[in-house]
Amino acid sequence: MPLLAGLARDARRAFEPKPGTGYGYPGGGANIMHNLLGARTKSGQHVSDRRALALSAWQRAMEIRSNVPGTLPVHVYQKTSDGRRLKSDAYPWITKRPNPEVVAPVFWVTVYYHLASWSNAYIWVRPMGGTVTLWPVEPKRVRAGRNEAGEKVYEIDGTVPAVDYSSKRAGNGIRLVHVQGWGTDGFTGAPRWEMGAESLGIGLGAQEKAGRWFREDRSPVNGYLSSDQELSQDEAEALSEAWDEARGEDDPGTAVLGKGTKWITTDIDPQKLQLLEARGFQIAEVSRQTGVPEHLLGSHDKQSSWGTGISEQNRGLLTYTIGPDIVIVEATISEVLLPADFYMKAELGGLLRGTPKEQAEILAIERQNLVVNADDWRDLLDMDPLPEGAGQSYFNPNIASGNEGFNKERVEAIGSLIRSGFKPEAVLSALGLPPVEHTGALPVTIKSIDQQDAEVAKLAAEANGTPAQPAA
């Protein structure tokens, strides 16, 4: 019971502010050498965020987890009192150019890489020339802690103090925005490369051993020399030594075997075969660590379980891997850097479009249901808007002309709303129809020839006092 009580007490305190707790590197305590040199693993390899990139699967996974969300268009919206949203251009340092040196996609790719590898991203908010600039700071350079007042503070490169941007007593010093990813203490994220250090160490060790194998063993397979003639012991040893000496040189040239000697290959060394299999298994390990499916890491013998179409696979990648990082970045930037009625939002439509055929089918349905207009559709295809605002109307005559039921329902809805007292121009606008001008003339009822003949016969019969004869 005392043990359980102690564990419960520690769990409660994990998320409590700890005044004067000092500084600690994410995942590495207060040891700066841990982050610079990496974690020592049982395989004998030092693993760091940079060394992990030597594994092609890890590098590709980090590129996907940073390039895909980082290059999505980013917008800032303002929430209106009636629940609508308006796109705002008031924050170009978020949407266009965070600082004078890089454009927005380059900056956000860096932020998402830090978040994917370290589960932490730090952004230096620096005033410059009457505006604000954003600069990424490598997580390995930052230590996080709390001051005596319990506020979150930082230290950069072991000497430069910094404060959290949300602190009310920030002053004029360096102010950092901390984008915190997955972690266990609610204070800093747990570096992904460090959590998988042992697995990455095995991969680095296998890669190093494979390189040494190809460097030292000129023949990647086993075999032996065979001669059609009888050889004495001395001749066999001399031929073997000559062969080994030639094959051991950096540039052995073309080997020549005399006296009918031939090279006979045998099966590959089981140890070397196991080494190759271990390197292939590393792709599966990296896939589990990063959430990126194996087929995106270059494993051609693996298929995705997220669906067969491009849109299904992209949707799975967005839902389970990239989406959480996007939500964290959007929420942090919106909460810390923007006013209460503004928020940042990444445009995910490009990631979910699928094939051109799937995209066209979806847009056709949206066009028919007045979700998008012609200019919206053309914008997705990188085409210019129609001239003179012709593409701004949501009414689509091409669809209406071939769908009488659609026309009938719309006409009935228009008549019903106007008879109920709504203004005609407002009704037409609500249904996506252009306004119709009235000539001012009196209403005219158009009748067919048969109707007119019947009415004339009726009037003549009434004048003569005889009943009208029904039309044949």
Side-chain angles (χ1 to χ4, degrees), residues 241-268:
E241 291 177 0
W243 174 262
D244 291 340
E245 181 179 355
R247 300 304 295 172
E249 297 177 359
D250 292 337
D251 186 11
T254 303
V256 179
L257 304 176
K259 295 185 178 182
T261 306
K262 297 179 294 184
W263 172 258
I264 307 298
T265 60
T266 60
D267 294 335
I268 190 171

Side-chain angles (χ1 to χ4, degrees), residues 105-385:
V106 176
F107 174 82
W108 291 115
V109 164
T110 305
V111 171
Y112 278 108
Y113 166 69
H114 291 165
L115 193 59
S117 181
W118 286 86
S119 294
N120 294 279
Y122 296 94
I123 301 174
W124 176 21
V125 183
R126 181 186 180 190
M128 180 181 293
T131 184
V132 174
T133 58
L134 306 180
W135 302 82
V137 182
E138 285 190 288
K140 70 174 65 177
R141 300 175 54 198
V142 181
R143 290 194 298 172
R146 294 191 186 275
N147 58 18
E148 294 299 330
E151 296 176 328
K152 198 172 187 178
V153 292
Y154 310 96
E155 191 174 76
I156 304 174
D157 296 331
T159 58
V160 181
V163 296
D164 196 77
Y165 189 85
S166 60
S167 174
K168 297 180 180 179
R169 297 187 296 175
N172 297 323
I174 294 180
R175 305 172 68 183
L176 296 181
V177 174
H178 181 197
V179 184
Q180 180 181 334
W182 184 89
T184 59
D185 60 1
F187 188 69
T188 57
R192 182 172 280 104
W193 66 264
E194 188 182 59
M195 296 296 99
E198 291 294 340
S199 176
L200 293 173
I202 293 175
L204 290 170
Q207 185 167 274
E208 182 178 314
K209 190 172 183 180
R212 192 163 54 245
W213 167 30
F214 279 101
R215 183 180 70 248
E216 298 175 355
D217 188 353
R218 302 303 300 182
S219 176
V221 294
N222 294 330
Y224 59 90
L225 295 172
S226 175
S227 176
D228 296 338
Q229 304 178 16
E230 292 186 3
L231 300 176
S232 64
Q233 182 68 25
D234 293 339
E235 289 176 331
E237 292 178 356
L239 186 59
S240 177
E241 291 177 0
W243 174 262
D244 291 340
E245 181 179 355
R247 300 304 295 172
E249 297 177 359
D250 292 337
D251 186 11
T254 303
V256 179
L257 304 176
K259 295 185 178 182
T261 306
K262 297 179 294 184
W263 172 258
I264 307 298
T265 60
T266 60
D267 294 335
I268 190 171
D269 186 345
Q271 292 183 349
K272 296 177 180 178
L273 180 61
Q274 186 177 14
L275 176 62
L276 293 177
E277 292 177 350
R279 295 204 65 207
F281 178 72
Q282 189 62 37
I283 298 179
E285 282 284 271
V286 170
S287 177
R288 277 190 288 269
Q289 291 171 330
T290 61
V292 179
E294 293 181 55
H295 73 279
L296 293 181
L297 301 180
S299 180
H300 301 295
D301 57 342
K302 298 292 184 180
Q303 296 182 352
S304 171
S305 59
W306 291 351
T308 57
I310 295 177
S311 59
E312 287 84 357
Q313 295 179 14
N314 287 345
R315 189 174 293 107
L317 183 67
L318 175 64
T319 302
Y320 301 111
T321 303
I322 297 175
D325 286 351
I326 295 177
V327 172
I328 290 173
V329 171
E330 290 176 344
T332 302
I333 299 301
S334 301
E335 180 69 22
V336 178
L337 292 181
L338 296 175
D341 54 342
F342 288 80
Y343 65 95
M344 168 188 169
K345 189 69 177 177
E347 184 179 316
L348 305 179
L351 188 61
L352 301 176
R353 289 180 188 175
T355 64
K357 180 181 179 181
E358 294 171 340
Q359 178 182 351
E361 292 174 349
I362 293 174
L363 285 172
I365 296 174
E366 293 179 344
R367 184 78 172 95
Q368 179 176 348
N369 290 278
L370 310 181
V371 177
V372 297
N373 57 34
D375 282 352
D376 294 334
W377 191 328
R378 295 172 66 89
D379 182 62
L380 293 175
L381 301 178
D382 293 328
M383 300 174 64
D384 294 332

Side-chain angles (χ1 to χ4, degrees), residues 425 428-429 433-437:
E425 59 271 17
L428 294 174
S429 176
L433 295 174
V436 180
E437 295 184 3

